[in-house]
Amino acid sequence: METLRIGIISRWKATCGISLHAEMLIKEFIEMGHEVIVFAPKLESANRWWHHISLGEDEPYVVRCYEERTPDGKQGRFDITLPELDYVIVESYQWLPHEDVERALRKSNAFKVAVVHEQRRNEFRYRNPYTFNYIAVFDERFAKEVVSGGNVVVIPYPCHPIVRGNRRFAEDKLRFFTFGRQPVEEYKDYIEALDWLSKSYDFEYLVIRSNHPLPFNRPYLVQRVEKLSLEDIYRFLHKSDIHLIPKGQTDGCVVSSTLYQCLGALIPTVVPNTRHFENLPTIEGYKPAVIYDNVEDLKCKLVRIIEDEDFRKGVVRSAERYVEENRCDKIAKRFLELMKREVSVIARS
């Protein structure tokens, strides 16, 4: 395919799955030799949110030019005239000023794709979904629960490529690891289960948060306040034996960008049975992450990961297969192939 000029409308350098999705695609497009422009929210607007701007300076190809919607009903503004582009990808989310974006897209001759991050149908606010050539969803749940109309195509959330560590399981001491800034109550299952586990095992649980420490004091708990780069995250994962991801229940349609960001480290990952993980496939008898239902189930599954090497290896093999099938470079190519599909449809008609 010839060099394309690709625009992406998205959050950028924010601690959320919207930003991560765009950043992974852009990295791949640039490596393919395409020209990119990112249209991101202005910093004042972006910094209002819990998913705040986190790391580094913006690249030269990033233009901060729009205002997000606010929870109190303020519409937000996207009043930019898009330059000449071959392809526009809209990382669509609840607080995007949908009507303004739709108006700008109608004036553009570019090939247009929306990536659905909205969780509910009333958050997907486009008047005419056929403004987009395609609407990309991460799995069929989004097509059934969120999107109304349009040409819908399933393209899974991309995974960070595999980066292998050289640690043997619990080679010096059993080590658990969590990073991020989830609400405190979402850690309680892990603390309760590890309190019980500490009666039989010697281990360390390292928690790195970007805002403030957890209000727990345990002999096994080690806490740091630090903002981690992706390289930092993988460095800590490779020093650990089990990755614990806290997530709360939601009735919305969601996936976990943290899981897809981290599976490539190939260490066992434990997650709660929430909607974030309900669509994970079973591969050769195992899911890519260990899903628990309640604290008692969590205790049993932690012991099984620790004691049952075959189970542990099966989970890691499943994760490896899943990552290889959904690597970010493969997902980026699938977005570009949509253009070929459209050309083929036009040619047949």
Side-chain angles (χ1 to χ4, degrees):
M1 183 178 288
E2 73 278 9
T3 298
L4 299 174
R5 197 168 193 229
I6 302 173
I8 290 194
I9 299 171
S10 176
R11 282 180 173 167
W12 191 257
K13 292 193 184 300
T15 54
C16 69
I18 301 157
S19 181
L20 180 64
H21 189 274
E23 290 167 27
M24 285 200 284
L25 289 185
I26 286 292
K27 178 178 180 292
E28 297 301 330
F29 291 151
I30 290 173
E31 289 187 2
M32 293 175 195
H34 300 302
E35 180 185 351
V36 300
I37 305 174
V38 176
F39 304 95
K42 297 175 183 178
L43 285 175
E44 183 180 357
S45 174
N47 283 332
R48 293 190 196 116
W49 298 96
W50 184 73
H51 288 303
H52 59 84
I53 303 301
S54 58
L55 288 171
E57 298 294 325
D58 284 342
E59 295 82 353
Y61 51 78
V62 177
V63 180
R64 292 200 175 270
C65 56
Y66 72 87
E67 298 279 342
E68 294 181 315
R69 295 169 61 96
T70 62
D72 61 7
K74 184 179 177 182
Q75 170 63 27
R77 292 186 66 190
F78 188 100
D79 55 3
I80 300 95
T81 299
L82 294 173
E84 287 296 319
L85 298 165
D86 299 302
Y87 198 151
V88 178
I89 295 174
V90 178
E91 300 280 359
S92 188
Y93 59 101
Q94 180 181 1
W95 308 116
L96 192 73
H98 293 75
E99 291 182 11
D100 284 359
V101 169
E102 188 173 9
R103 190 177 303 112
L105 291 175
R106 285 199 297 266
K107 297 176 183 177
S108 172
N109 294 320
F111 186 85
K112 307 170 186 77
V113 174
V115 180
V116 177
H117 295 271
E118 291 91 348
Q119 299 183 23
R120 301 166 185 85
R121 198 175 301 278
N122 64 0
E123 297 171 358
F124 192 74
R125 300 184 183 92
Y126 301 103
R127 293 187 177 183
N128 180 12
Y130 290 95
T131 298
F132 300 97
N133 297 82
Y134 286 98
I135 295 173
V137 297
F138 301 129
D139 56 60
E140 293 290 351
R141 298 173 304 157
F142 290 84
K144 294 175 182 176
E145 299 178 33
V146 181
V147 177
S148 296
N151 299 316
V152 179
V153 60
V154 174
I155 302 181
Y157 197 100
C159 292
H160 185 279
I162 289 170
V163 179
R164 298 181 187 276
N166 55 15
R167 178 180 173 82
R168 298 189 312 277
F169 188 81
E171 64 181 21
D172 51 355
K173 187 177 190 176
L174 181 61
R175 299 185 185 277
F176 297 89
F177 175 61
T178 296
F179 73 96
R181 57 195 298 265
Q182 293 298 116
V184 170
E185 60 269 17
E186 296 182 8
Y187 294 78
K188 289 181 178 179
D189 284 358
Y190 293 129
I191 295 296
E192 184 176 343
L194 293 179
D195 282 348
W196 174 83
L197 203 69
S198 67
K199 298 173 184 177
S200 304
Y201 297 90
D202 180 32
F203 60 85
E204 176 182 286
Y205 180 28
L206 174 61
V207 175
I208 300 180
R209 286 167 58 80
S210 60
N211 50 356
H212 55 74
L214 298 172
F216 303 113
N217 184 18
R218 300 291 194 277
Y220 59 77
L221 180 61
V222 178
Q223 299 202 64
R224 294 170 57 173
V225 176
E226 185 178 346
K227 295 178 181 179
L228 299 179
S229 67
L230 186 59
E231 292 75 17
D232 293 332
I233 291 168
Y234 268 72
R235 178 165 54 85
F236 282 110
L237 286 168
H238 287 148
K239 292 180 179 179
S240 307
D241 301 298
I242 300 174
H243 180 204
L244 307 178
I245 298 181
K247 282 291 180 186
Q249 294 287 353
T250 177
D251 62 355
C253 200
V254 287
V255 296
S256 170
S257 59
T258 302
L259 179 67
Y260 301 132
Q261 183 182 33
C262 296
L263 277 179
L266 299 184
I267 73 166
T269 301
V270 179
V271 299
N273 189 4
T274 67
R275 296 211 69 193
H276 303 81
F277 312 103
E278 67 183 358
N279 211 52
L280 287 178
T282 299
I283 301 172
E284 296 181 0
Y286 299 91
K287 289 188 178 293
V290 178
I291 302 173
Y292 73 89
D293 293 321
N294 51 48
V295 173
E296 290 305 311
D297 187 41
L298 174 59
K299 293 175 184 177
C300 294
K301 284 176 175 169
L302 289 177
V303 170
R304 189 173 183 192
I305 293 171
I306 296 167
E307 298 292 344
D308 187 339
E309 183 179 5
D310 289 340
F311 175 72
R312 194 166 63 238
K313 288 182 176 179
V315 172
V316 172
R317 279 197 307 272
S318 176
E320 183 173 6
R321 281 273 307 278
Y322 186 86
V323 171
E324 283 300 318
E325 289 171 8
N326 297 287
R327 276 191 341 243
C328 50
D329 60 314
K330 292 183 178 180
I331 296 300
K333 288 175 183 176
R334 287 180 65 173
F335 275 94
L336 297 182
E337 286 166 359
L338 291 177
M339 294 184 73
K340 294 181 181 178
R341 181 188 300 186
E342 190 80 0
V343 169
S344 175
V345 169
I346 292 172
R348 288 200 302 272
S349 60

